[in-house]
Amino acid sequence: MPNALSSPLSRRGVLAAGGAVGLGVALAACGSGDNGAKDAGAGAGGDAKAGPWSFEDDRGETAKAGSVPKSIVAFTGTAAALHDYGIEVKGVFGPTTTKDGKPDIQAGDLDVTKVEILGNVWGEFNVEKYAALAPDLLVTAQWVEGELWYVPEQSKDKILKLAPSVALWAAETTVPKAVQRHADLAESLGADLKAAKVTEAKARFEKAAGRLRAAAKSKPDIRVLVGSASQDLFYVSLAKMSADTLYFQELGVKFVEPKVNSQGFFEELSWENIDKYPADIIMMDNRSSALQPDALTSKPTWARLPAVKAGQVVPRVTEPIYSYDKCAPILDDLAAAIEKARKVA
């Protein structure tokens, strides 16, 4: 993913390259679908009110349209969240399919065969295909204030001229706040937040949050390291900088605190020095762009880490899909890991 970026990397590029939480090499590249027709993929639910539409995003900017947007294009993870609330998009950009054509983990429950893929890797966004969708709205995340996640800087001005845009915080917020903001947007687009699917998912989320709080309280000595691996570097992230890990902190989880670089999100360690911070549990970046634990067996320093020896390495959903349905299991999984963890560091 970052390989195609110019040097030095922008702060946004660094986040994608190794950052919001650390990460590694390249996102899997894949082609686009061909559903460009205006009526392909409903934009909003049938309950959307008629008349002018507006929504104030997390930049403090208000997107406006003469009616509720129907032709929506979104960052893949954001599109997946909208899908969970019943709002479908026509096009996506960002990690959508893997090299074998399967849905990327960030696609959630999206049917990736029914959306136009405008770009599958960092820096890729097909402006011509975007224009052909006659977009009413562009939606993406915001990791750095004012910057649109996966919208390339070199074509941003052309892209933003074609439709109103909405950016929602993925950093400097917490999971409940981020989920609520995605729900607010979905509701403005016609979603029914009182639907059983939504209310049941919210109840599961609240139950899981209670479980994680109880697990953290019962094992206050357990320390968690947030990591991400590339071939050359191991990234240790600062928990308070991301919505998921900040929320875990608020629920009582204790995290390793690295000495972050000037970007503020993470510290880069050589593989020789990855034992710098003792940890009982390691949460590893699960994105397709990062090396996964089974690819690290050739790294002797990795194998010697106490948490690795103890089998206390768990996936981290680095870029959560901000719906109650997708965030509840994240809380449950970490709670289960802490409940089972032994003090090893």
Side-chain angles (χ1 to χ4, degrees):
M1 155 167 89
N3 296 4
L5 297 178
S6 59
S7 182
L9 294 177
S10 68
R11 189 178 184 201
R12 186 161 60 107
V14 169
L15 290 176
V21 279
L23 151 151
V25 279
L27 283 173
C30 197
S32 303
D34 25 275
N35 330 348
K38 177 91 176 174
D39 58 348
D47 294 333
K49 64 181 181 180
W53 171 90
S54 66
F55 184 84
E56 184 176 349
D57 74 359
D58 292 348
R59 296 171 295 179
E61 298 183 10
T62 300
K64 298 180 180 180
S67 60
V68 175
K70 300 289 185 182
S71 182
I72 303 168
V73 172
F75 170 68
T76 304
T78 310
L82 292 175
H83 170 83
D84 286 350
Y85 292 111
I87 303 300
E88 304 301 337
V89 305
K90 287 188 177 180
V92 296
F93 54 95
T96 307
T97 55
T98 58
K99 289 180 179 178
D100 57 7
K102 294 180 180 179
D104 187 273
I105 194 165
Q106 294 190 60
D109 293 334
L110 282 179
D111 185 341
V112 298
T113 68
K114 293 184 177 179
V115 291
E116 184 77 49
I117 301 173
L118 304 178
N120 200 55
V121 299
W122 181 261
E124 181 180 275
F125 190 114
N126 192 312
V127 181
E128 290 72 25
K129 287 184 177 181
Y130 177 56
L133 292 175
D136 298 323
L137 179 66
L138 176 82
V139 189
T140 189
Q142 177 180 238
W143 281 92
V144 177
E145 186 172 2
E147 294 191 5
L148 303 179
W149 194 233
Y150 270 79
V151 175
E153 287 293 328
Q154 64 270 24
S155 52
K156 182 178 69 174
D157 291 344
K158 291 180 181 179
I159 292 166
L160 295 182
K161 286 179 181 178
L162 295 173
S165 63
V166 164
L168 299 177
W169 272 118
E172 300 184 38
T173 186
T174 63
V175 170
K177 292 177 182 178
V179 169
Q180 184 60 57
R181 289 295 286 152
H182 284 71
D184 291 343
L185 175 61
E187 185 175 38
S188 81
L189 295 170
D192 179 7
L193 299 188
K194 295 181 180 179
K197 179 182 178 182
V198 177
T199 57
E200 290 169 3
K202 185 175 182 180
R204 291 196 304 273
F205 176 86
E206 292 171 345
K207 182 179 179 180
R211 179 185 178 186
L212 180 55
R213 183 183 288 107
K217 185 177 181 180
S218 70
K219 294 193 174 179
D221 294 334
I222 294 296
R223 290 293 183 275
V224 181
L225 182 147
V226 183
S228 185
S230 72
Q231 192 60 44
D232 298 321
L233 293 171
F234 185 77
Y235 302 89
V236 181
S237 291
L238 186 61
K240 70 178 184 179
M241 296 302 290
S242 298
D244 60 333
T245 46
L246 174 57
Y247 183 49
F248 302 156
Q249 270 191 324
E250 291 181 351
L251 292 175
V253 178
K254 304 298 192 302
F255 286 95
V256 164
E257 295 192 4
K259 295 180 180 178
V260 296
N261 63 19
S262 60
Q263 305 295 340
F265 283 86
F266 59 92
E267 179 179 358
E268 304 101 324
L269 298 176
S270 67
W271 281 101
E272 291 76 18
N273 295 312
I274 66 169
D275 60 352
K276 180 177 179 179
Y277 298 107
D280 304 295
I281 295 174
I282 300 176
M283 297 180 70
M284 288 293 288
D285 186 349
N286 75 334
R287 291 180 293 181
S288 57
S289 47
L291 293 182
Q292 298 306 303
D294 59 3
L296 302 177
T297 55
S298 64
K299 305 283 189 185
T301 50
W302 169 259
R304 290 198 294 267
L305 293 176
V308 175
K309 287 182 177 180
Q312 294 178 176
V313 178
V314 298
R316 182 216 176 177
V317 182
T318 298
E319 292 187 49
I321 294 169
Y322 288 117
S323 69
Y324 292 112
D325 183 67
K326 296 300 182 293
C327 288
I330 295 173
L331 299 175
D332 267 328
D333 290 346
L334 181 55
I338 293 174
E339 288 165 355
K340 294 184 291 185
R342 295 183 293 110
K343 183 69 181 172
V344 295

